[in-house]
Each structure stands twice: as structure tokens, then as C-alpha cells.
Amino acid sequence: GAQEHFYLEPHGSFAIPGEGNEMKLICSTQNPTKTQILVSHVLGITTNNVVVTVKRMGGGFGGKETRSCHVSCAAALAAYKLRKPVKFILDRDVDMTTT
């Protein structure tokens, strides 16, 4: 069978729209640059308008390198369309089946 990454916290992202096309994300990722690039692509804006911050994270064990990007993109898209902050945190069961 396959091996599953079992990180200590589930994937989560908090997207906050700024002025114009700006988007700020606070998320649990081990690759903020990849998240920035993918979010800018999904929103159709330049990467310099997307700021990704990782407050703190431990126990990712490599499982948050790229698998967290879909959560950040979904939160950013909802925040961009609604012009309101949006927070997504996956339930552990959903997290394990979608990643």
C-alpha cells in the first residue's frame, strides 16, 4: 500500500483581500512561493499582488510542500469574489482523502 503523510495539523488557509487586486494569505504550507504562484494564476493577477505568510508550522514532514495549495487557492478565490476574508480548514477525514 501507499504511504500517507500524517502531519500534525490539517491544511488551512486564511485569505484576506486587500486594495485592488491584492490578496494576503496566512496558511500552513512548506512552500509559500508555490502557493503564491498558483493563487496568482487562479485569480488571474500578478504574483506581486499575492502575499503569503506562514505564521508558524511544525510537524509537516513534507506533507505540506504542495498538497496545501488547493486549499489556499479555494480560499483566495472565495475571498476575491466575495471581497471578504475567508478561512478554510479541512476536517481531518477530508484532509486525508483529498491529499
Side-chain angles (χ1 to χ4, degrees):
Q3 182 177 355
E4 192 67 50
H5 286 280
F6 193 82
Y7 23 81
L8 299 179
E9 62 182 32
H11 290 300
S13 187
F14 185 38
I16 306 154
E19 296 179 14
N21 288 333
E22 293 176 350
M23 184 61 62
K24 179 178 181 181
L25 288 109
I26 303 168
C27 52
S28 59
T29 180
Q30 290 173 288
N31 195 343
T33 303
K34 184 71 167 180
T35 302
Q36 179 189 34
I37 291 167
L38 290 174
V39 166
S40 68
H41 179 73
V42 167
L43 300 182
I45 60 177
T46 57
T47 54
N48 65 311
N49 281 311
V50 179
V51 175
V52 178
T53 304
V54 180
K55 180 93 172 168
R56 70 182 63 83
M57 190 188 49
F61 309 111
K64 294 186 173 216
E65 184 72 27
T66 57
R67 292 180 176 100
S68 62
C69 293
H70 69 284
V71 177
S72 296
C73 287
L77 183 60
Y80 191 76
K81 294 291 186 181
L82 296 172
R83 302 306 303 164
K84 292 181 178 183
V86 173
K87 183 188 289 186
F88 281 176
I89 300 174
L90 296 182
D91 175 87
R92 179 64 74 183
D93 292 335
V94 172
D95 195 319
M96 296 306 286
T97 56
T98 59
T99 62

